[in-house]
Amino acid sequence: MITNTFHIPVSARYYHEFASVEELITILKRYSSEPVLPIGAASNILFTRDFEGLVLRSAMCRARALDEDNDSVLVNADAGLVMDDLIAQIADMGLRGLENLSGIPGTVGASAVQNVGAYGVEAGDCIVAVEAVDRNTLTCCTFEHDQCAFGYRDSFFKHVNKRYIITSVTYRLSKGGPANLSYAALKDYGLTPQSSAKAVREAVLAIRDTKLPNPAEIGSAGSFFRNPVLNDEAYKRFLSRLADLGLTPPRIFETQGTYKLSAAWLIEQAGLKGRQIGGAAVYERQPLVLVNATGTATAGDIQTLAQLVIDTVRERFGIELVPECEII
Ligand SMILES: Cc1cc2nc3c(=O)[nH]c(=O)nc-3n(C[C@H](O)[C@H](O)[C@H](O)COP(=O)(O)OP(=O)(O)OC[C@H]3O[C@@H](n4cnc5c(N)ncnc54)[C@H](O)[C@@H]3O)c2cc1C
């Protein structure tokens, strides 16, 4: 059985954990003809069927400081380490960079694949290198920051057919500097630029608690959809649609001629908050999240609900929502 945060029962033909790079290479050699799926906590995957191949999970969970200068420390963390455990440790040490990502479920390896983001920060902002094993050559390789092509919940690793199994990630963390309070909710919480990394972490955890389901209690993959990013022309069309509907535009994040909209706002305005199909529901407190509301939802329930959300938002706003969650 593959544990996953949707709490949907699913299994794999083969499942292996690796405790060293050598063991990983041995496993990959043995199953060279099988499809391979590397996973961490499976907190961003919807399994619609059993996986007919090899599921791999890193059991390497250590972190170490590699180097430091006056301003920063380089920390290398194994792919299997729980990302939030790493963030707790480094925030305790007073190091800044990842604290806004506190409370995101999942592992260090996936933080690089997903370029996880929250509260104005993305993991890629701090990642200087990613170490991996290449399944084609069975050799170790290192990707520098620029080779990772980090984008909004995106990276090079998402586009190479699971070729690289990430074994560790190296982050550069700051010894000083101001807290990143670019996200209004953090300022509203009373944080100041002088607030410590630990104070920011506690605020982020408290804010997340009010909005997001605890994966131990309610199954989900966090945000099921990406926030749509529109070009100038599409944005103008969207504004004119809102005017026709008599709606005031939501808060928009504008960067370099693109406009990022809140998918949660679109879903809520489409009247879908709380909508349920089978055991799946649009989460009341954060409509971007689809949940296994009854604990017995099937992947089919989640997919049918996701399609209803996509169709309804398209009909009302002319905008196509795209899943952030990987569907397998
Ligand atoms: C309640 C909740 C809240 C969430 N909040 C956020 C949030 O605020 N921001 C955010 O960005 N995400 C959020 N997520 C989504 C999820 O936690 C992240 O995407 C996380 O990075 C996934 O980590 P994971 O270890 O579970 O990866 P998985 O879901 O197991 O895998 C994700 C992807 O990474 C690949 N992968 C995993 N490990 C490796 C490896 N070692 N080598 C190569 N590829 C690998 C997988 O093949 C897959 O493509 C949330 C999820 C939940 C359930």
Side-chain angles (χ1 to χ4, degrees):
M1 191 78 91
I2 309 170
T3 50
N4 61 87
T5 58
F6 261 122
H7 306 166
I8 288 177
V10 63
S11 56
R13 189 185 299 151
Y14 306 105
Y15 173 86
H16 277 281
E17 295 189 354
F18 55 94
S20 68
V21 171
E22 295 70 29
E23 189 180 5
L24 169 60
I25 292 173
T26 306
I27 296 168
L28 289 173
K29 262 187 204 153
R30 192 180 329 145
Y31 294 97
S32 59
S33 57
E34 294 292 332
V36 173
L37 175 66
I39 61 167
S43 63
N44 200 49
I45 300 176
L46 174 65
F47 287 96
T48 58
R49 55 184 162 79
D50 290 342
F51 187 73
E52 296 302 329
L54 169 68
V55 167
L56 269 177
R57 199 173 237 157
S58 170
M60 299 166 70
C61 301
R62 286 190 311 179
R64 55 204 80 73
L66 293 183
D67 198 6
E68 66 180 295
D69 58 24
N70 287 342
D71 304 319
S72 65
V73 180
L74 278 185
V75 173
N76 175 260
D78 291 336
L81 181 60
V82 171
M83 185 70 182
D84 195 52
D85 290 352
L86 172 70
I87 297 173
Q89 280 178 44
I90 56 186
D92 275 348
M93 291 161 72
L95 295 172
R96 283 197 196 285
L98 296 173
E99 62 276 16
N100 294 38
L101 306 180
S102 295
I104 300 180
T107 52
V108 162
S111 78
V113 178
Q114 303 289 108
N115 188 20
V116 288
Y119 299 97
V121 169
E122 290 180 333
D125 301 343
C126 294
I127 293 175
V128 292
V130 174
E131 293 77 27
V133 168
D134 180 349
R135 285 174 51 216
N136 287 2
T137 59
L138 297 181
T139 54
C140 297
C141 46
T142 300
F143 295 88
E144 306 298 331
H145 173 93
D146 287 349
Q147 296 172 284
C148 296
F150 292 120
Y152 167 50
R153 299 298 175 277
D154 198 19
S155 73
F156 161 80
F157 304 102
K158 279 196 155 180
H159 304 280
V160 285
N161 198 22
K162 316 280 180 198
R163 173 170 170 182
Y164 299 99
I165 311 298
I166 295 173
T167 51
S168 73
V169 178
T170 304
Y171 306 90
R172 184 179 295 284
L173 303 161
S174 304
K175 289 181 177 174
N180 181 334
L181 305 180
S182 54
Y183 206 87
L186 296 179
K187 276 190 211 129
D188 297 346
Y189 201 82
L191 295 173
T192 68
Q194 289 74 39
S195 297
S196 66
K198 207 171 163 185
V200 174
R201 169 174 168 75
E202 278 159 15
V204 168
L205 290 174
I207 296 168
R208 290 180 69 95
D209 237 20
T210 63
K211 291 187 179 170
L212 292 163
N214 176 346
E217 290 160 12
I218 303 176
S220 84
S223 305
F224 194 89
F225 300 100
R226 296 161 64 89
N227 288 313
V229 180
L230 307 184
N231 62 22
D232 210 36
E233 206 187 311
Y235 181 56
K236 280 185 191 137
R237 269 201 310 273
F238 171 66
L239 287 182
S240 112
R241 180 75 75 107
L242 290 190
D244 292 347
L245 293 167
L247 289 171
T248 314
R251 225 177 112 220
I252 307 286
F253 304 91
E254 188 186 344
T255 38
Q256 296 162 347
T258 64
Y259 303 83
K260 195 198 268 186
L261 307 182
S262 158
W265 186 90
L266 296 170
I267 297 168
E268 183 168 357
Q269 294 297 323
L272 292 163
K273 214 170 169 180
R275 178 67 66 89
Q276 189 156 347
I277 290 184
V282 177
Y283 195 50
E284 281 281 358
R285 285 195 256 165
Q286 166 51 282
L288 196 47
V289 179
L290 304 187
V291 293
N292 179 350
T294 56
T296 55
T298 61
D301 293 341
I302 308 269
Q303 279 185 300
T304 309
L305 181 62
Q307 196 56 52
L308 174 77
V309 171
I310 291 170
D311 292 344
T312 313
V313 167
R314 187 198 306 112
E315 257 165 49
R316 189 153 169 79
F317 297 110
I319 287 178
E320 191 74 22
L321 289 182
V322 174
E324 175 180 320
C325 172
E326 187 169 342
I327 297 168
I328 289 182

